[in-house]
Amino acid sequence: MPITVGTAGHIDHGKTWLVRALTGKDTDRLPEERRRGISIDLGYAPLELPDGRSASLVDVPGHERFVHTMVAGATGIDLFLLVVDAAEGARPQTHEHLAILHLLGIDRGVVAVTKADAVDAETLELACEEARELVPGAGVVAVSAKTGLGLDELRAALARAAEGVERARSDRPARLFVDRSFSLRGIGTVVTGTLWSGSIGAGDELFAEPGSHRVRVRSVQVHDREVERAEAGQRVAVALPGVERREIGRGRALVEPDAYPVSYRLDVAVRELEPIPDGARLQVHHGTSRTVARFVALGDGHAQLRLREPVVAARGDRVILRGETTLGGAVVLDPAPPRHRDRDRVERIERGELAATISSPVHVASLRHVLDAEPEGVERAGPWLFSRDWLAGLERDLRVRIDAADPIDPGAPPPAEPWAADVVPLLPFELRGAKLYLPGATPTLGGRADEAIALAEELAAAGFRATPVEDAELARFLEVSGRLVRLGERHAIGAENYERARQLALEEARAAGELTLGRFRDLLGTGRRDAQLLLERFDRDGLTRRVGDRRVLRLGASSPGDGRSPAGRAG
Ligand SMILES: Nc1nc2c(ncn2[C@@H]2O[C@H](COP(=O)(O)OP(=O)(O)O)[C@@H](O)[C@H]2O)c(=O)[nH]1
Ligand SMILES: [Mg+2]
């Protein structure tokens, strides 16, 4: 199993030199880093361990101004390599980095007491003793990057620590936090990062979030070698043609479609190093991203973080909270919570009572990072999960709207949300045309039924002739009850006559390959204007298509009862 080791420790305590001594690689590559002799950005080097295992080493800056970069580097690592100068002992960023590692849940690692060549034996022994007290349980090794002292022992200690590293989550959807992106001639944009979960292979379709850029993976490398699929826990380089480098810089995530919410809020369980007041503004570090946030205390160790920039989080993710210094950390309980303060809900989620948190429909894919199995006690339709209470509420709402509808057409439009097609069929309503009706409900017209019958008879008697209709209410009543078809703004035809005309048009168009106004008029035996109005209606219904002054059948225009006839649709 591949592992990633990250350095930690105060500036100038010898991290970068130690990385170079271990790997042969100078990770201070920026001109400014070379000039000032300090690390500013993250550095990466491959490291062979004595047990044959290969590891990746991430070198982080120690300067207090670059703690945010240290967090981005530490976020995907399995083991820490804490570096303490033998002469200086622990200094402020030794403690801060250690606290950050702890808050990120990175509890395994080794302490290297560096510059052993520069102190006497007694001082060295004292420094090692202090290191053991500082990080109980971790191996402590005295080393010198200058003379090579202790390097083999250090490699062995890292290999020992690596043995207990737990396997990363390969069963979850892919998520990789980008720590570097660059352009390579002939390849395009390449990003690197640690694959937090899942696997990534050539040909995969992923999203760069936030921003929802769809990307296709061209190739994947691990340790400069092309692999078919990279697995969770590995440091990976992914070639993404067709994406601009700036669209996928540090802080972005590469994720499987629909698997993770992109959210401006996180409900979290907080671990404070210093008390954080309600409403405080702070920096939230998550993955390789950082953003400003407001800390909304929910009480009892819980809070909602309201973020200025969205994050791609999952339940169980760790975040770091910083002001001038590191104030604490948090574990994500709900990566996409509602806005209001709801302590009860957060506590239920923490106890694993997920069903209690689901009300209106949520896509099952958006819960994959929270769910281990199908939650019990929730309803499901297609990919949507929702509560029984919510469904009952929806039914009540729709009933109220149907009751309030015009008796001429006593229906209400179904909800327009994406879940509607899956959820609405569960309700005891009939979908006719574009509206929901009570089962068997028919339009009524109060005391005007006689007039409606008279108009229907008039239409029937008019045959293929377009009849002017003055009374909008009557016309609408006959239309929704499937007995009248409108022709233009002011005319109508009886539904049966319309269907006959439609059949004539179909047969003629099939036989002759086209339909002309003159020929259609002859077939109907009516005036030119009647035929014209009918043809225009056919066009609107998708039966025919106008080509010059002729009409041809549209592809798919077919037999009666295909739902294209307006009379058929209303019935
Ligand atoms: N004598 C001695 N000096 C060292 C050793 N390692 C680092 N140094 C010195 O410490 C300085 C800072 O080291 P560097 O690795 O850049 O520290 P970092 O800020 O922790 O990365 C270097 O420029 C060296 O002068 C060592 O093993 N022995
Ligand atoms: Mg350095």
Side-chain angles (χ1 to χ4, degrees):
M1 190 192 130
I3 60 157
T4 306
V5 181
T7 63
H10 200 75
I11 184 162
D12 266 351
H13 278 201
K15 295 179 291 301
T16 302
W17 274 41
L18 184 57
V19 168
R20 195 178 59 198
L22 283 169
T23 69
K25 190 169 166 185
D26 187 355
T27 54
D28 278 354
R29 62 195 158 44
L30 300 175
E32 190 186 351
E33 292 180 319
R34 296 248 157 102
R35 197 174 63 244
R36 292 169 65 183
I38 66 164
S39 308
I40 294 169
D41 204 354
L42 301 173
Y44 301 93
L47 171 68
E48 293 294 324
L49 293 178
D51 58 0
R53 204 199 279 250
S54 53
S56 298
L57 202 46
V58 182
D59 186 32
V60 307
H63 196 290
E64 61 176 317
R65 276 190 41 225
F66 302 128
V67 174
H68 60 271
T69 306
M70 180 272 170
V71 180
T75 187
I77 67 173
D78 303 299
L79 290 183
F80 61 79
L81 172 55
L82 180 70
V83 165
V84 183
D85 186 316
E88 288 211 346
R91 305 270 287 120
Q93 269 64 56
T94 317
H95 296 292
E96 186 168 15
H97 286 188
L98 206 51
I100 288 168
L101 292 167
H102 192 56
L103 292 167
L104 289 175
I106 302 156
D107 292 323
R108 302 190 143 267
V110 176
V111 185
V113 175
T114 53
K115 311 190 193 179
D117 60 279
V119 294
D120 59 43
E122 197 183 333
T123 311
L124 187 60
E125 186 38 49
L126 219 63
C128 290
E129 195 51 48
E130 266 180 30
R132 278 183 215 104
E133 275 169 32
L134 184 67
V135 198
V140 174
V141 184
V143 296
S144 166
K146 209 168 186 174
T147 67
L149 173 94
L151 293 182
D152 286 340
E153 209 186 316
L154 179 59
R155 286 195 187 90
L158 285 170
R160 272 197 305 279
E163 276 164 20
V165 171
E166 274 175 44
R167 183 159 275 285
R169 311 218 60 152
S170 49
D171 56 329
R172 294 282 164 93
R175 187 167 49 141
L176 175 148
F177 278 99
V178 175
D179 48 40
R180 277 187 307 174
S181 69
F182 42 88
S183 312
L184 287 185
R185 187 185 284 267
I187 293 182
T189 300
V190 175
V191 302
T192 64
T194 303
L195 191 52
W196 279 27
S197 59
S199 68
I200 292 183
D204 286 3
E205 283 234 346
L206 301 173
F207 274 92
E209 298 282 9
S212 297
H213 286 282
R214 186 189 288 276
V215 295
R216 183 180 282 279
V217 176
R218 177 188 278 171
S219 61
V220 181
Q221 290 195 344
V222 176
H223 291 300
D224 297 329
R225 255 197 227 118
E226 193 145 333
V227 294
E228 210 163 296
R229 298 202 73 78
E231 302 295 333
Q234 291 181 317
R235 268 201 66 73
V236 186
V238 187
L240 300 169
V243 195
E244 290 293 318
R245 198 187 138 184
R246 62 184 158 72
E247 287 166 351
I248 185 146
R250 179 176 294 168
R252 301 284 170 110
L254 270 186
V255 292
E256 260 174 53
D258 285 335
Y260 297 94
V262 176
S263 145
Y264 283 91
R265 290 184 294 277
L266 300 173
D267 277 0
V268 296
V270 188
R271 271 158 68 193
E272 285 162 281
L273 299 178
E274 291 171 31
I276 305 174
D278 184 24
R281 268 166 64 88
L282 35 73
Q283 299 268 345
V284 171
H285 299 252
H286 170 256
T288 52
S289 78
R290 84 174 145 142
T291 179
V292 173
R294 184 172 299 282
F295 180 92
V296 178
L298 301 175
D300 211 21
H302 296 103
Q304 183 165 89
L305 306 175
R306 296 194 182 148
L307 314 169
R308 191 154 74 191
E309 304 291 337
V311 294
V312 189
R315 183 167 183 208
D317 284 358
R318 309 265 182 151
V319 303
I320 298 294
L321 308 175
R322 297 192 81 238
E324 293 285 297
T325 58
T326 300
L327 302 173
V331 179
V332 175
L333 297 174
D334 187 344
R339 187 180 172 84
H340 54 266
R341 300 180 186 223
D342 191 341
R343 175 164 145 202
D344 178 55
R345 183 174 175 284
V346 177
E347 285 174 355
R348 279 170 192 263
I349 292 181
E350 194 170 31
R351 289 199 300 269
E353 296 166 16
L354 190 74
T357 69
I358 294 175
S359 174
S360 58
V362 283
H363 199 282
V364 68
S366 73
L367 292 174
R368 273 197 284 169
H369 52 279
V370 185
L371 289 178
D372 289 316
E374 190 90 337
E376 290 186 13
V378 290
E379 306 290 308
R380 179 166 187 166
W384 304 99
L385 301 172
F386 46 89
S387 73
R388 190 180 303 248
D389 282 352
W390 173 83
L391 188 67
L394 176 68
E395 184 181 334
R396 273 197 306 278
D397 285 355
L398 285 168
R399 242 177 236 288
V400 168
R401 280 159 54 203
I402 290 170
D403 286 347
D406 187 339
I408 287 178
D409 181 17
E417 273 80 357
W419 41 257
D422 291 300
V423 172
V424 167
L426 300 182
L427 299 171
F429 302 119
E430 284 176 18
L431 184 65
R432 275 183 263 144
K435 288 184 183 173
L436 294 170
Y437 298 86
L438 296 178
T442 45
T444 58
L445 198 58
R448 305 191 61 198
D450 289 350
E451 291 171 73
I453 290 166
L455 177 56
E457 283 172 357
E458 187 189 341
L459 288 169
F464 295 130
R465 270 177 292 117
T467 303
V469 285
E470 312 289 332
D471 191 320
E473 192 188 30
L474 276 190
R476 199 162 142 238
F477 171 75
L478 290 180
E479 189 181 18
V480 298
S481 58
R483 286 145 75 187
L484 171 150
V485 175
R486 286 179 185 278
L487 297 176
E489 296 276 300
R490 285 181 299 275
H491 293 81
I493 182 174
E496 282 177 21
N497 293 325
Y498 176 82
E499 189 52 38
R500 276 170 50 218
R502 189 172 166 276
Q503 281 307 316
L504 284 173
L506 262 175
E507 280 160 24
E508 167 65 12
R510 286 220 181 93
E514 61 174 35
L515 196 60
T516 63
L517 176 58
R519 176 76 184 131
F520 189 48
R521 180 199 56 200
D522 292 346
L523 282 172
L524 298 174
T526 58
R528 204 177 159 82
R529 197 202 48 174
D530 302 316
Q532 178 68 29
L533 284 170
L534 274 163
L535 287 175
E536 283 167 8
R537 174 82 207 208
F538 295 156
D539 290 345
R540 272 207 291 131
D541 289 348
L543 181 73
T544 49
R545 184 162 54 86
R546 213 177 140 174
V547 182
D549 55 2
R550 298 166 303 120
R551 279 177 170 80
V552 294
L553 286 185
R554 266 188 193 273
L555 241 57
S558 55
S559 48
D562 59 358
R564 284 176 182 276
S565 133
R569 191 167 48 200

